[in-house]
Amino acid sequence: MEHVHIFDTTLRDGEQSPGASMSLSQKLEIAVQLETLGVDIIEAGFPISSPHQFDACKKISETIQQSTIAALARAVEKDIDTAYEAIKKAKNPRIHTFIGTSPIHMKYKLNKTEAEVLEGITHSVTYARNLVPEVEFSAEDATRTDREFLCRAVDTAVKAGATIINIPDTVGYTVPSEYIDIITMLKERVPGLDNTIISTHCHDDLGLAVANSLSGIEAGARQVEVTINGIGERAGNTALEEVVMSLYVRKDTLKKSTNIRTQYLYPTSRLLSSIIGFPIARNKAIVGENAFAHEAGIHQDGMLKHRETYEIMTPKTVGRSDSKIVLGRHSGRHGLKHRLEQLEIKIADEKFEVLYENFTQLADKKKEIFDEDIYSLLSTSVGADAAMFELESLDLTIKTGSLAVASVSVKSQSEIHKGTATGDGPVDAALRAIEEALAIRSKLVDFDIQSITPGKNSVGEVSVVIALEDKHSAGRGSSTDIVEASAIAYLNAISHSMLLS
Ligand code: KIV
Ligand code: ZN
């Protein structure tokens, strides 16, 4: 079977989704997890775009040993120099340089002629090749580029020494048959392409990113650019877990292999979701809550008789457990540790202590602790950076026909902040009381609540996105009390926003 390289751009294109920005330590945590997952190339960021991006690329380059580290650069010297400075310590550094090649990009964005764009490609690729042995060239908006010109652009990049040629569907416009045509044409018409790796990079504006990426592979691409949970600009990028599992489950027909350790797919998806505070849609393939649930009686009956009647892969293959009820009040430290081992979750000792404390509090409130509860506890207690603000207490008065009243006490490193407010319902009152306590005004951009386990005493997980001084940040909180979960999520989003500033 031929090998397909997995290029993960969660930390670069993925982070470009509004509200998905991560702190330095969060990026490092994701990068380490991506390496454990078996990703071949990690695109760590766009170093010229900010000092934070530069520092993240540098730190990741100094830490990661197995995966190649790529950094993005426009086709200009100062971007390439900065990218090189950021990743030069990586064991395997790669500079990824790009320029728009479609008429729309050349005319309106770059204000350049075709000749000027070709000159930019020659210069930037040659310049980057003098710094590192691996240079990737992307013809931005390739799928809306005139085909003649695309051939010339790719030929120019190959002649200048590019080792990987990426054909991005920047605006998620192409369809599988067209993407096959484009890549086949390039292979036929650009002779030197035989000695380079062709790459796909698809956006999901029409919901076709995974299908287009698979078509690209069918046409000869041997690198696929993806993000965890498909996060990214607008509708997102190709979801890593979907492409990888398509190649894995259908290796009979697709005949390709990857280096991904599939049992880390679900833990990685959960880790990212907890760090950026984006919930995963219940019906999301591979990692959604319902991806392995069988509701209809006829399906359940079939499953009990023979699993493969309705299941094309086992939950265990992607790192999800079969048995959902696992722990309770009496499980103790040992029981929790054992379950974490079974779920292949590794955490440092001090983080385990925080987790265990939260676990015992939850076990006092509900009898059965499900795996999903453990993931939720992980995300809210140890997955993210230590919160700057903690909810110490929350008092609520709710009466039908009257405004709700909330009083909160919030602990920061050195102080206790208190606030009281009324609101249109208990959640509104609690969030206003927090604003009062911290003397801030923020806008709630998004609010999502999910019950993560069955039963009336289920844990509610709240995800919020806020805008504080025009900066978006996300936070997550969980509790059997949904008002408390909302308050925790709100405080985490405020902490997150301050960590980013
Ligand atoms: O979508 C795109 O074209 C990109 C390039 C920078 C590769 O993200
Ligand atoms: Zn992109």
Side-chain angles (χ1 to χ4, degrees):
M1 266 195 273
E2 276 189 81
H3 183 73
V4 172
H5 294 90
I6 302 296
F7 176 116
D8 182 278
T9 182
T10 304
L11 297 173
R12 198 279 296 170
D13 218 342
E15 210 215 10
Q16 286 173 220
S17 346
S21 22
M22 293 171 239
S23 68
L24 199 65
S25 61
Q26 290 172 333
K27 286 187 175 179
L28 200 58
E29 197 174 347
I30 293 287
V32 169
Q33 181 69 22
L34 292 174
E35 186 176 41
T36 307
L37 179 64
V39 159
D40 299 287
I41 305 107
I42 297 173
E43 186 163 52
F46 189 6
I48 191 86
S49 66
S50 73
H52 168 79
Q53 291 268 340
F54 181 90
D55 292 344
C57 288
K58 190 159 180 278
K59 190 90 196 124
I60 290 169
S61 299
E62 287 162 1
T63 310
I64 298 298
Q65 294 299 310
Q66 307 290 330
S67 319
T68 294
I69 305 300
L72 189 69
R74 285 166 302 185
V76 289
E77 281 186 15
K78 70 174 184 324
D79 278 36
I80 295 171
D81 284 335
T82 312
Y84 175 66
E85 279 307 312
I87 56 158
K88 66 182 180 198
K89 297 236 173 83
K91 232 172 166 181
N92 301 303
R94 177 186 294 184
I95 293 176
H96 176 191
T97 185
F98 72 101
I99 191 163
T101 51
S102 65
I104 261 183
H105 276 234
M106 290 190 293
K107 180 168 175 201
Y108 296 105
K109 197 176 90 169
L110 302 171
N111 193 20
K112 280 191 190 317
T113 62
E114 288 188 349
E116 284 167 337
V117 166
L118 294 180
E119 202 181 297
I121 296 173
T122 303
H123 186 69
S124 58
V125 174
T126 314
Y127 191 78
R129 262 313 292 272
N130 283 330
L131 299 171
V132 288
E134 270 188 35
V135 172
E136 172 167 339
F137 169 72
S138 284
E140 193 187 14
D141 207 14
T143 53
R144 291 192 301 169
T145 297
D146 169 73
R147 294 203 185 181
E148 281 298 319
F149 185 62
L150 185 61
C151 289
R152 285 169 61 208
V154 168
D155 186 51
T156 305
V158 171
K159 286 195 173 123
T163 50
I164 300 101
I165 296 289
N166 188 28
I167 310 298
D169 184 28
T170 304
V171 289
Y173 176 72
T174 200
V175 294
S177 52
E178 183 182 67
Y179 206 42
I180 290 185
D181 277 357
I182 294 173
I183 293 178
T184 308
M185 170 202 74
L186 287 169
K187 280 174 59 185
E188 281 166 9
R189 295 180 46 188
V190 182
L193 212 47
D194 291 350
N195 303 320
T196 67
I197 294 177
I198 302 175
S199 173
T200 67
H201 177 108
C202 299
H203 281 267
D204 208 28
D205 300 65
L206 294 173
L208 290 171
V210 172
N212 287 335
S213 302
L214 291 173
S215 300
I217 292 170
E218 197 185 324
R222 290 296 172 263
Q223 173 179 286
V224 58
E225 301 197 356
V226 290
T227 59
I228 301 294
N229 299 337
I231 65 164
E233 282 279 1
R234 308 179 309 279
N237 289 59
T238 304
L240 179 149
E241 58 281 1
E242 295 180 19
V243 163
V244 164
M245 286 315 288
S246 299
L247 295 174
Y248 180 91
V249 172
R250 296 311 313 273
K251 47 181 157 323
D252 57 326
T253 166
L254 299 173
K255 298 191 170 49
K256 303 289 174 302
S257 64
T258 71
N259 279 337
I260 296 298
R261 301 179 187 103
T262 58
Q263 72 273 25
Y264 290 105
L265 285 172
Y266 186 62
T268 309
S269 156
R270 290 293 310 205
L271 176 69
L272 178 72
S273 159
S274 69
I275 282 181
I276 61 174
F278 282 19
I280 301 165
R282 278 182 184 270
N283 64 332
K284 165 92 175 61
I286 321 292
V287 292
E289 192 46 42
N290 292 350
F292 293 90
H294 301 272
E295 182 70 15
I298 196 164
H299 284 211
Q300 289 180 356
D301 182 53
M303 282 290 291
L304 289 173
K305 287 179 177 144
H306 186 72
R307 197 168 189 144
E308 284 174 25
T309 45
Y310 287 104
E311 216 165 72
I312 57 168
M313 58 194 146
T314 64
K316 206 159 169 248
T317 318
V318 299
R320 306 178 68 143
S321 61
D322 271 341
S323 59
K324 292 205 155 190
I325 301 171
V326 285
L327 301 172
R329 190 178 307 180
H330 304 296
S331 305
R333 266 196 178 69
H334 186 71
L336 178 60
K337 256 200 178 129
H338 183 66
R339 190 62 198 151
L340 289 177
E341 272 164 28
Q342 286 178 330
L343 295 172
E344 302 205 33
I345 296 168
K346 293 185 209 115
I347 57 170
D349 287 350
E350 69 280 11
K351 285 193 168 188
F352 177 79
E353 287 310 315
V354 182
L355 178 72
Y356 181 67
E357 198 184 312
N358 293 342
F359 166 80
T360 50
Q361 282 169 14
L362 182 62
D364 276 342
K365 292 187 195 157
K366 71 194 289 265
K367 272 208 293 268
E368 295 161 329
I369 305 285
F370 297 76
D371 287 347
E372 281 69 15
D373 290 322
I374 297 180
Y375 282 117
S376 171
L377 284 174
L378 275 166
S379 67
T380 48
S381 49
V382 300
D385 286 320
M388 289 168 82
F389 302 110
E390 252 177 67
L391 184 69
E392 201 177 55
S393 68
L394 167 65
D395 289 318
L396 276 174
T397 312
I398 321 166
K399 213 165 129 211
T400 317
S402 319
L403 285 174
V405 186
S407 296
V408 296
S409 172
V410 174
K411 204 163 107 189
S412 66
Q413 241 179 7
S414 52
E415 270 178 88
I416 301 285
H417 312 259
K418 289 183 184 294
T420 297
T422 54
D424 192 5
V427 172
D428 188 36
L431 304 193
R432 284 175 192 270
I434 288 173
E435 291 187 340
E436 194 60 35
L438 300 179
I440 55 158
R441 283 285 164 269
S442 83
K443 199 165 144 235
L444 188 63
V445 179
D446 197 20
F447 180 93
D448 181 273
I449 182 159
Q450 291 199 357
S451 94
I452 53 177
T453 49
K456 290 200 192 82
N457 64 355
S458 163
V459 169
E461 200 169 80
V462 173
S463 307
V464 298
V465 177
I466 64 166
L468 188 58
E469 286 166 9
D470 285 340
K471 200 163 15 107
H472 282 76
S473 69
R476 211 146 122 132
S478 65
S479 167
T480 47
D481 173 345
I482 56 168
V483 185
E484 188 177 297
S486 310
I488 296 170
Y490 202 56
L491 283 170
N492 283 340
I494 295 169
S495 297
H496 190 176
S497 169
M498 295 192 173
L499 279 168
L500 292 171
S501 50

